[in-house]
Amino acid sequence: MTEPRPRHCATCGRALSPREVYYRFNLVLEGEQDLLDSGDEPGDGERDALAELVQRLEEGPEDARELEDQVHWERAGVVCGACRIVVVRMLDAGPGTPRPH
């Protein structure tokens, strides 16, 4: 019986032994913004704002791939036990907790 190929921790890069416990993760970041604010009455103002946004995007210097990456980003992998503690602590921290940025 052949052993599975070694996995590597996505955070620290350490090779994980096939007998070592590891933690699988899937992370999806999706950008959202209440962009169009035309007041109480939807209508021409909303259409004008949308048309202006489309024009700015078409004429802007950004590559379509860059814009897509700003709106949707996915990553999956595994982390070791030590990195799991850090990731959970960072993502599970409540409001008012000092953040790394």
Side-chain angles (χ1 to χ4, degrees):
M1 179 175 183
T2 62
E3 289 193 25
R5 65 183 180 87
R7 300 180 193 292
H8 290 81
C9 176
T11 303
C12 69
R14 185 172 64 79
L16 304 171
S17 158
R19 301 196 190 299
E20 184 176 358
V21 174
Y22 60 89
Y23 301 88
R24 190 173 300 282
F25 71 89
N26 292 298
L27 181 61
V28 177
L29 300 177
E30 294 179 334
E32 293 186 15
Q33 182 178 7
D34 296 332
L35 189 61
L36 302 176
D37 183 16
S38 60
D40 297 324
E41 303 267 335
D44 289 338
E46 193 172 276
R47 280 190 288 276
D48 291 344
L50 182 57
E52 180 183 330
L53 173 63
V54 170
Q55 183 178 5
R56 278 195 346 242
L57 291 174
E58 288 174 346
E59 295 173 355
E62 294 91 355
D63 178 13
R65 182 73 182 158
E66 289 177 37
L67 293 172
E68 182 180 325
D69 287 345
Q70 290 177 20
V71 175
H72 184 91
W73 180 86
E74 290 186 40
R75 177 123 187 241
V78 296
V79 293
C80 66
C83 289
R84 178 198 175 275
I85 292 168
V86 174
V87 170
V88 169
R89 187 180 308 140
M90 184 179 70
L91 294 176
D92 212 22
T97 305
R99 303 292 180 167
H101 64 292

